[in-house]
Amino acid sequence: MPSSWLAQAGRTLPRYTSYPTALAFTAAEDDAEARSWLAQIRPDQTLSVYTHVPFCKRLCWYCGCHTSVFHEYDRVRTFFETLKREIELWAAAMPAHAGTQHLHFGGGSPNALAPADFAELVAVLGRAFRLRPDAEVAAELDPGLLTHEFIDAAVAAGVNRVSLGVQTFDPDVQQKVNRIQPFEQVASVVARLRDAGLAALNFDLMYGLPGQTPENVAASTRDAISLAPDRVAVFGYAHVPWMKKHQVMIREEDLADAQGRWDQAEAADQELVAAGYVRIGLDHYARPGDPLAVAAASGRLRRNFQGYTDDPAAVMIPVGPSSIGRFGPGFVQNAIATDTWGRAVEAGHLPVARRLPVTEEDELRAAVIERVMCDLRVDVGAVCTDRGFAPDALDSCFAGIAELEPLGLCRLRGRVVEVPAAAARLVRTVAACFDAQLAGPARRHAQAV
């Protein structure tokens, strides 16, 4: 990394999976506003449904998710019954729509559910939100605790894409983050998934974990490639112990600096590109024929709370604690605490706790940010015109671009902003130039690299 980029790499910035970011959400008094927003769904609009399972059988020290460890399944069973009631509430509040094109399970670990319960959950969601025959049904699963019984039940229920949280295969790093899952165990899970008929497989890898080096990141990446996933995401560890208290288990002296993190990410990148994977946006890779790579090549790549996606749905229904939804007029987030969420559902209320109406200017900035995050290029004037604004509506943002351009982080030609491939890992610094809410009171985000 050029030394002139170090200061930018050390900045803390949003990941821009949405704009405005979740930090801008405010408390919702009740569910009336969410219901009025839901009522504006059009009959021709397809849905994306995200379901959050806030339980794990182990707590990984690096985790930034809303989750907790359970010891008795009765607690999960109670959650499962409440979750089904929540699904009924959302379905009853919705007008006619064109069905669900994407159904996504995250956590926590969805495989914290018993196999039969997970299969029933897929069926309940499919009926409630009219799952389309060609829908993608995706689940993020913990490979270290994934049983053959769960795999068979999930694939039989219709799951056709699985994302495995591999993170690293290095045993010393696994020990430092409390996530023990040897390569042989993950390889066995992959073989069983394919034997069961799974259509598509994603891996999540990480850099910036304690004890990681460019060498062991490269080795883990090669091991991952040997299992032939369709997609690989390479995420940087976000050390935020002021938000996630369990991260105090990770010693800061075991963490690399910005240059070290860059070198680790570069090591993974080199292995993936050499193996034929296509770079996508900030941190994703896919085989050339994968739908994500096709979407990227055709300018249809999107970015939402699950990261990069080919999902075009403008409506996202949030199911489960902490889930974030998007309807035409704005964003909503369900109560984060499972008990608070459960009380709302039992009272017959949509469990929304936070909300954020969006303005036309928010939508404009979001469109520009999404395109630069997805395409590493955006014609700002054209986006402004397409959305009914004057072509110079965001010209004030170019002052920030002008500061980054001499560093080689971007180029400005007229109103077209381009990020060189070599600087793609710092694309968030360019996106931040269009963020009207970043200035002001100090806010703590993840490190830019």
Side-chain angles (χ1 to χ4, degrees):
M1 178 170 57
S3 59
S4 59
W5 292 4
L6 279 171
Q8 297 296 328
R11 292 174 63 186
T12 55
L13 294 171
R15 294 188 185 274
Y16 292 116
T17 51
S18 72
Y19 182 82
T21 69
L23 286 176
F25 290 19
T26 58
E29 294 183 5
D30 52 38
D31 67 354
E33 184 176 51
R35 289 180 179 276
S36 71
W37 290 356
L38 276 173
Q40 298 180 44
I41 294 173
R42 302 192 310 269
D44 64 329
Q45 286 186 307
T46 57
L47 310 180
S48 182
V49 178
Y50 175 77
T51 302
H52 188 79
V53 179
F55 295 103
C56 293
K57 295 179 182 178
R58 57 181 177 180
L59 183 60
C60 307
W61 302 148
Y62 61 79
C63 183
C65 302
H66 295 298
T67 190
S68 62
V69 174
F70 70 95
H71 301 289
E72 301 293 336
Y73 192 73
D74 286 350
R75 183 178 166 211
V76 181
R77 169 71 71 173
T78 299
F79 160 81
F80 174 60
E81 296 299 330
T82 305
L83 191 68
K84 290 189 289 185
R85 283 190 280 276
E86 183 197 1
I87 293 166
E88 294 172 358
L89 291 173
W90 284 110
M94 293 173 60
H97 55 80
T100 295
Q101 189 64 41
H102 285 254
L103 176 57
H104 195 105
F105 296 88
S109 300
N111 50 316
L113 289 168
D117 288 345
F118 181 80
E120 182 181 350
L121 178 59
V122 176
V124 169
L125 286 161
R127 290 192 298 268
F129 299 117
R130 291 181 42 228
L131 191 66
R132 294 165 65 98
D134 60 342
E136 179 174 273
V137 182
E140 302 172 19
L141 303 177
D142 180 348
L145 301 168
L146 187 52
T147 65
H148 290 175
E149 292 77 15
F150 189 95
I151 290 171
D152 293 342
V155 175
V159 171
N160 50 29
R161 183 174 291 278
V162 163
S163 181
L164 297 181
V166 172
Q167 324 309 6
T168 176
F169 284 115
D170 186 274
D172 293 333
V173 179
Q174 289 183 353
Q175 190 72 42
K176 289 179 184 293
V177 298
N178 196 40
R179 190 178 181 91
I180 308 301
Q181 48 191 38
F183 173 82
E184 294 74 17
Q185 183 179 32
V186 176
S188 174
V189 164
V190 168
R192 185 55 178 250
L193 284 164
R194 291 197 168 119
D195 288 345
L198 180 76
L201 180 65
N202 303 357
F203 279 2
D204 289 345
L205 300 178
M206 294 185 73
Y207 65 89
L209 292 173
Q212 281 189 308
T213 65
E215 292 74 22
N216 63 32
V217 168
S220 287
T221 306
R222 287 193 296 271
D223 285 344
I225 291 168
S226 75
L227 299 177
D230 300 279
R231 300 176 188 173
V232 179
V234 184
F235 298 118
Y237 166 57
H239 190 59
V240 287
W242 55 89
M243 293 173 57
K244 296 296 178 180
K245 301 302 184 186
H246 54 267
Q247 290 187 355
V248 300
M249 299 297 292
I250 291 178
R251 301 191 311 167
E252 297 209 12
E253 55 266 35
D254 288 338
L255 300 176
D257 60 12
Q259 181 66 60
R261 288 170 64 92
W262 178 278
D263 293 343
Q264 292 171 29
E266 188 68 16
D269 176 89
Q270 290 176 4
E271 297 292 341
L272 287 160
V273 171
Y277 287 83
V278 177
R279 291 190 189 100
I280 295 176
L282 171 67
D283 48 21
H284 280 47
Y285 301 80
R287 294 191 177 279
D290 184 88
L292 198 68
V294 174
S298 61
R300 295 183 294 102
L301 190 66
R302 302 290 307 279
R303 190 154 171 84
N304 65 18
F305 294 103
Q306 281 76 63
Y308 288 106
T309 180
D310 59 341
D311 178 6
V315 177
M316 180 176 288
I317 306 301
V319 177
S322 81
S323 289
I324 296 177
R326 175 66 204 267
F327 321 126
F331 296 94
V332 297
Q333 183 176 25
N334 290 347
I336 292 174
T338 305
D339 54 351
T340 305
W341 163 84
R343 285 194 296 270
V345 171
E346 295 299 340
H349 303 307
L350 299 177
V352 294
R354 300 203 302 160
R355 36 79 76 183
L356 178 67
V358 294
T359 66
E360 290 185 354
E361 183 181 334
D362 290 334
E363 295 274 22
L364 171 64
R365 291 175 180 270
V368 170
I369 288 171
E370 182 176 52
R371 294 281 39 96
V372 77
M373 290 293 297
C374 290
D375 304 336
L376 304 181
R377 181 186 185 278
V378 60
D379 186 334
V380 180
V383 174
C384 290
T385 301
D386 288 346
R387 293 184 170 266
F389 287 79
D392 62 354
L394 294 179
D395 279 8
S396 61
C397 300
F398 295 145
I401 297 295
E403 294 180 8
L404 299 178
E405 190 171 18
L407 302 177
L409 293 173
C410 58
R411 291 187 295 267
L412 180 63
R413 301 292 182 268
R415 291 191 173 94
V416 177
V417 178
E418 294 188 62
V419 178
R425 205 164 288 123
L426 282 167
V427 65
R428 288 157 59 199
T429 65
V430 179
C433 295
F434 300 95
D435 185 344
Q437 302 186 11
L438 193 61
R443 289 173 169 173
R444 304 183 90 171
H445 299 278
Q447 192 170 321
V449 171

